[in-house]
Amino acid sequence: MAPPKDIQKLISLTQTTQTLLSHFQTSLTPSKDSNTSTDAPDLPNGPLTAIHAATTLLKSHTTTLSLLLLTPPLTPSALIAKIGDVTSGALSGMVAAASYTPPSNARDDLGQIMRGELRVQVKRLVGAWSDVLALVLAMSEARKNLSGKDNGPSEAEKKDVLERTGVVWDVCDELLRLCNGGVVELVLKKAQQLRAVLLDAVEELKEWGEDVADEEEEDKAEASGDEDEFGDEDDFFGAQNKIGKDDKELKVLLDRSVKKLKMVGIMYQAIGKRRLKTFPAVAPNSNPASAASSATSPTNGDTSTESPAQKLDRLMHILKTIPDTVDDLASTFYELEQEEADAELKKVCDEAKSAVALVEKSWVGTDDEFTAWSEKWIDALDAA
C-alpha cells in the first residue's frame, strides 16, 4: 500500500489540475473580442500539426493512465508523473493551438469555421479528460485511509475507468479525423442543412399561395346574410393574410419567387458537389501557406493574402444568410406587401449570385465545369 503522504500528494495534484482544466475550458470559449490575438503560441508547423500530435499523445497517455488505475496497488508516483505529462504537455499545447486566433491583418489558413470546430472538439476533450481526473481523485480519496493491502479497483471502479477512457478515445478519434481534413465533411453537412431550411420555406410559400378561398363558398356566405362573417378568430386573421383572387400581380410575383428560390436550392447542390467537396483541406504535417498560395483570388478590397479557408468562411456566411433573407421574403408575402416582397426577392437573388461569383473559379483559380455552369445558372435565374 502506498504511504498516505504519497496519496495526499496525488489528491492535491488532481485538485489543482482540475482548476487548471477549468481555465483551459474558459480559454476555449471565444469572446466578442477574439478577433485580435496576443502572445501567439510557437506553432512552427501550424495549429493542425500541433493539435494532431497532442491528440495522439494524449490518447496514448490516457491508455497508460487507465492501466495504472486498473493494476493494483494504486501507485501515486506513477500517476502523478502521467498527469503531469498530460497537463503540462499534450493538453496545454493543444489548448494553446486551438485557442489561438491570428491577427486580422495576417493570412489565415484555417478559417473561422475550422477554428471554431477545433475549439469545440478540444473543449470536449478537456472535459472528457477532466472526468478521468475526477475518477483518479475519487479512487485516491477511497484509499487515503486504507490500512492493509490494496486489492485493486472494485468492479464499479473498473467499469468507470473503462467507460471514461473510452470516451476520451472517441473524442480523440473525432478530433484526429477533423485534423485530417474533416472541414470538408463539416461544411458539406452545414450546406445540406441550410438547403433543407430553404426548401422548407419554399414549400410553405407555395402552399400558402395555393390557399385561396373557394369562390362558391364565399358566394354562399354572402347569400346567407350571416352577421358572423368569420367562423372563429383563426378564420378572421387567416383571411387577412391570404392572397385574394384579385391580387393577380402578387400571385404572379409569388410564382416567380418560388421558381427562383428552387433554382437557389439547386445552387446549393452544385456548390456542395463542385466546390465544397473539392476544398483543399490543409492536413497536418503540410505547409499551409504553400498548399493554399495558388488559390488566392482578388476580390473587393485588399484580399491579396486571402486563403482558401478565408474564402470558404465568406462563402458559408453567404449560404447561411440566404435562408434568413428567404424568411424575410416570406414575411412580406404573408403581410401582402408586394413592393417589399419584390425587394426581398431581389436581395435573395443577389446573395445567391454573390455566392456563385465568389467560387466561380476553382480553388486554384482556374476555369472548370462549375465556371461554365455558373454563367448559365445566373442567366436562367434572371430569366425565371
Side-chain angles (χ1 to χ4, degrees), residues 10-317:
L10 178 58
I11 291 174
S12 297
L13 176 64
T14 54
Q15 291 172 336
T16 56
T17 303
Q18 285 178 324
T19 302
L20 177 62
L21 295 187
S22 296
H23 175 71
F24 283 165
Q25 295 274 31
T26 301
S27 67
L28 289 166
T29 304
S31 64
K32 294 181 180 179
D33 300 325
S34 61
N35 290 331
T36 59
S37 176
T38 57
D39 299 327
D42 183 17
L43 303 171
N45 297 316
L48 278 185
T49 299
I51 293 174
H52 189 280
T55 303
T56 303
L57 187 59
L58 178 63
K59 186 176 181 181
S60 175
H61 283 325
T62 304
T63 302
T64 304
L65 188 139
S66 67
L67 292 174
L68 290 172
L69 292 175
L70 292 172
T71 305
L74 195 72
T75 311
S77 59
L79 290 168
I80 288 172
K82 188 55 59 179
I83 292 172
D85 289 340
V86 171
T87 53
S88 64
L91 269 184
S92 61
M94 182 189 305
V95 171
S99 58
Y100 170 67
T101 301
S104 58
N105 61 344
R107 181 185 177 88
D108 182 2
D109 290 301
L110 280 187
Q112 295 177 4
I113 295 175
M114 184 64 166
R115 187 174 295 102
E117 189 65 17
L118 283 170
R119 283 197 182 109
V120 169
Q121 296 301 334
V122 171
K123 191 172 182 178
R124 282 185 61 209
L125 187 50
V126 172
W129 209 82
S130 181
D131 289 340
V132 172
L133 193 65
L135 182 58
V136 175
L137 178 59
M139 293 179 65
S140 301
E141 291 278 7
R143 286 155 179 78
K144 183 171 61 174
N145 299 317
L146 182 66
S147 60
K149 183 180 179 181
D150 180 5
N151 293 318
S154 65
E155 291 302 317
E157 288 174 333
K158 289 179 182 179
K159 181 180 178 182
D160 285 341
V161 169
L162 294 175
E163 287 182 351
R164 298 187 194 194
T165 301
V167 171
V168 172
W169 285 350
D170 290 342
V171 181
C172 283
D173 289 342
E174 190 167 347
L175 185 52
L176 289 172
R177 283 195 296 271
L178 183 62
C179 289
N180 288 325
V183 67
V184 173
E185 180 180 344
L186 176 67
V187 294
L188 271 173
K189 183 178 180 180
K190 288 182 180 292
Q192 291 167 355
Q193 291 172 340
L194 292 169
R195 178 177 178 270
V197 172
L198 168 69
L199 295 183
D200 285 345
V202 173
E203 192 61 30
E204 289 180 8
L205 263 180
K206 182 180 177 182
E207 292 178 0
W208 173 80
E210 295 171 349
D211 188 18
V212 180
D214 185 88
E215 189 171 341
E216 292 184 3
E217 291 182 0
E218 287 187 355
D219 292 340
K220 290 180 181 179
E222 292 177 1
S224 66
D226 193 347
E227 294 182 1
D228 186 7
E229 183 179 357
F230 302 100
D232 54 30
E233 184 180 0
D234 289 338
D235 288 344
F236 175 77
F237 287 102
Q240 286 185 325
N241 69 349
K242 290 181 181 178
I243 294 183
K245 291 184 292 295
D246 295 331
D247 294 330
K248 294 182 180 179
E249 291 184 3
L250 189 62
K251 186 66 168 66
V252 170
L253 178 59
L254 175 63
D255 292 342
R256 184 157 56 93
S257 298
V258 169
K259 290 180 182 179
K260 288 180 180 291
L261 292 179
K262 286 182 177 179
M263 291 193 62
V264 174
I266 294 173
M267 179 270 292
Y268 274 82
Q269 284 184 307
I271 285 182
K273 181 178 180 180
R274 302 296 181 181
R275 288 296 178 258
L276 299 184
K277 279 188 176 181
T278 62
F279 179 74
V282 180
N285 304 315
S286 67
N287 187 325
S290 64
S293 60
S294 60
T296 56
S297 62
T299 53
N300 294 333
D302 182 12
T303 56
S304 57
T305 61
E306 183 180 52
S307 66
Q310 288 171 308
K311 181 185 287 189
L312 179 64
D313 284 339
R314 292 203 290 137
L315 173 63
M316 295 304 296
H317 175 73

Side-chain angles (χ1 to χ4, degrees), residues 331-350:
S331 296
T332 61
F333 273 114
Y334 299 152
E335 296 298 328
L336 306 181
E337 298 287 352
Q338 182 174 335
E339 290 185 6
E340 286 79 356
D342 199 18
E344 290 297 333
L345 176 60
K346 182 180 183 303
K347 186 177 178 182
V348 172
C349 293
D350 287 344

